[in-house]
Amino acid sequence: MAQATASRTFSPSLNIAKLKESATLAVSARAKALRAAGRNIIDLGAGEPDFDTPEYIRRAAQRAIDAGATRYTATEGILPLRQAIAERVAMDYHGEDAVSPTDIIVSTGSKQSLFNACFVLFGPDDEVLIPTPSWTSYYEMVTLARATAVPVMGDAAHGLKVSAAMLEAAATPRTRGVMLNSPSNPTGAVYSRAELEEIVALCDERGWWLISDEIYRDISYRGRATSVLDVATSRDRLVVVDGVAKAYAMTGWRIGWAIAPRAVTKAMGALQSHTTSNATTVSQHAALAALSDRAAAENAVSSMVREFQARRDLLVAAMAREPRLRYVHPEGAFYLYINVAAVQPDGAAGTAFAAHLLERHDVAVVPGAAFLTPEWIRLSYAAPRESVMEGVGRVITAFGELVP
Ligand code: PLP
């Protein structure tokens, strides 16, 4: 009764008037519900490594708890962690203003850094260019900041990436920034050094903020992907976001960070101080251990990346069995982005295909509508090899049923 009254009286505030539920989480929820009902669902929807957090990190966290790492820290994060991040960045960035710990803010996952960056940099009347397809939350974060997200469609002949010229063509006098993600979720495409140089130069020239989400940077199959910090000569309008979630299999620990000019990290810190305060203390110590023990990190990350690459190779080989299925050749992250437009002509093929695949073949993937490209589906290969291979086999079978 009380609930019924609440739903009659609740009308969402203007802050969330346009907010959509995360489509990626909606798929996992449906897959979980089917599982609970006894179905043997293969979940290729999740954007989360299927590995355990490496042991050296878990042990460091246990030691940190025993040593009393259970209290608040400074909002921006413990200094040793910010120092470790600054040292890591120093290997990449050779521009005019070296990165210091004050240019770094540690947050509750890179997601919070991305949101806080959008919130402090953009507002009403601002437009933000988002190369599309893109991770579903960028559009919502920009909208929550009451700015306008402007999707810029990537070039299908070029891994669905955008060029500087394409960004320029989508700009207006209200453009204030660009949100870039390489390696990309959902496509697995990786921007080359030359491509990043052009985009960084354009942003510099136009005075736009460039938010570069590099959370998948270590998961890249031709050596570490290029960072915008590798090519930038100034950080004046650059926000680089990274974290430990993906490369170190630490999704649940919730540690990410932003590297930005000091005025921006200060503003993000003020925002964070009134919302969530510091990221979880023990998790900060775990992240510190993850980054500081270089030999153990190299060992753990490279063995996970090798496994992702082996799965990628097997997947690509399997896809050759159905040449009518086009996909973006994945060079990083752990996603295969597949075009299923042939399934139906109404532009919503990805949603129809994903529903058919889940209901009839017990495989969960994310419909491309979540990434503003509704003729595609995203298959995550962050799942055991057997599941991935069984899953792709069923994708091919399902496609054959729908497109005889
Ligand atoms: N950025 C991208 C492109 C992602 O795919 C994700 C997670 O799915 C995140 C950021 C969020 O990562 P975190 O767990 O560090 O908040």
Side-chain angles (χ1 to χ4, degrees):
M1 187 66 162
Q3 226 173 13
T5 313
S7 65
R8 270 204 308 276
T9 52
F10 172 63
S11 62
S13 76
L14 268 183
N15 298 329
I16 62 153
K18 295 184 186 161
L19 187 67
K20 293 193 214 74
E21 210 186 309
S22 162
T24 44
L25 297 181
V27 173
S28 328
R30 176 76 185 136
K32 275 191 191 112
L34 289 177
R35 235 181 222 157
R39 297 258 293 269
N40 189 12
I41 303 293
I42 298 178
D43 188 357
L44 305 182
E48 158 166 63
D50 53 312
F51 306 111
D52 289 332
T53 300
E55 189 177 355
Y56 79 99
I57 302 171
R58 301 199 310 262
R59 295 282 165 269
Q62 283 159 354
R63 285 195 302 273
I65 291 181
D66 290 341
T70 55
R71 296 171 183 262
Y72 292 135
T73 71
T75 297
E76 64 273 20
I78 55 173
L79 184 59
L81 176 56
R82 287 180 295 118
Q83 275 165 337
I85 296 165
E87 272 167 35
R88 192 175 132 102
V89 173
M91 295 190 259
D92 304 323
Y93 179 66
H94 304 291
E96 52 203 26
D97 45 348
V99 175
S100 88
T102 49
D103 304 326
I104 295 167
I105 176 152
V106 174
S107 56
T108 302
S110 64
K111 201 173 222 178
Q112 189 186 24
S113 281
L114 287 162
F115 174 78
N116 286 357
C118 287
F119 211 73
V120 307
L121 294 175
F122 310 127
D125 295 334
D126 294 337
E127 291 178 359
V128 181
L129 305 179
I130 305 188
T132 297
S134 229
W135 186 45
T136 180
S137 296
Y138 297 157
Y139 309 101
E140 301 300 324
M141 288 172 179
V142 168
T143 308
L144 280 170
R146 302 207 198 182
T148 304
V150 179
V152 181
M153 198 51 66
D155 180 357
H158 199 52
L160 287 172
K161 291 188 277 188
V162 302
S163 62
M166 291 159 82
L167 291 171
E168 200 163 17
T172 74
R174 291 167 53 193
T175 304
R176 287 264 292 161
V178 177
M179 289 186 84
L180 198 67
N181 174 220
S182 171
S184 156
N185 175 5
T187 64
V190 176
Y191 281 74
S192 70
R193 190 180 181 97
E195 289 162 347
L196 287 181
E197 269 166 1
E198 278 188 14
I199 292 172
V200 168
L202 173 69
C203 292
D204 265 354
E205 186 190 305
R206 295 299 192 92
W208 296 338
W209 284 100
L210 176 56
I211 300 182
S212 181
D213 176 355
E214 304 189 352
I215 189 75
Y216 294 100
R217 188 172 166 220
D218 286 328
I219 306 174
S220 172
Y221 307 132
R222 294 205 220 152
R224 246 180 134 210
T226 307
S227 163
V228 294
L229 289 168
D230 287 319
V231 301
T233 50
S234 149
R235 298 188 296 107
D236 280 356
R237 289 184 168 268
L238 208 55
V239 180
V240 176
V241 174
D242 202 344
V244 287
K246 312 287 178 171
Y248 293 86
M250 291 179 70
T251 45
W253 299 79
R254 312 306 303 126
I255 295 291
W257 55 83
I259 301 158
R262 193 174 178 181
V264 176
T265 55
K266 207 166 163 236
M268 289 171 72
L271 174 60
Q272 193 167 301
S273 76
H274 292 298
T275 51
T276 56
S277 302
N278 63 274
T280 305
T281 304
V282 66
S283 295
Q284 292 189 57
H285 286 273
L288 172 62
L291 301 184
S292 308
D293 189 339
R294 295 256 168 83
E298 168 59 27
N299 201 11
V301 174
S302 63
S303 78
M304 289 189 273
V305 173
R306 269 198 308 277
E307 175 58 24
F308 284 135
Q309 183 164 4
R311 293 177 194 170
R312 188 277 311 259
D313 292 345
L314 287 168
L315 262 180
V316 165
M319 290 294 283
R321 300 207 312 261
E322 178 47 280
R324 294 177 302 165
L325 275 175
R326 285 186 295 121
Y327 60 90
V328 176
H329 184 71
E331 296 189 332
F334 35 67
Y335 305 110
L336 180 67
Y337 211 49
I338 305 173
N339 186 298
V340 292
V343 163
Q344 60 186 50
D346 65 355
T351 306
F353 185 81
H356 176 84
L357 192 64
L358 182 58
E359 303 300 336
R360 299 282 177 81
H361 294 276
D362 292 348
V363 178
V365 295
V366 179
F371 315 104
L372 300 198
T373 38
E375 297 187 326
W376 298 71
I377 56 162
R378 188 195 77 178
L379 179 156
S380 162
Y381 50 93
R385 264 192 216 198
E386 321 73 76
S387 307
V388 171
M389 297 318 292
E390 179 60 36
V392 74
R394 294 188 202 177
V395 166
I396 292 170
T397 306
F399 185 77
E401 285 166 4
L402 297 173
V403 189

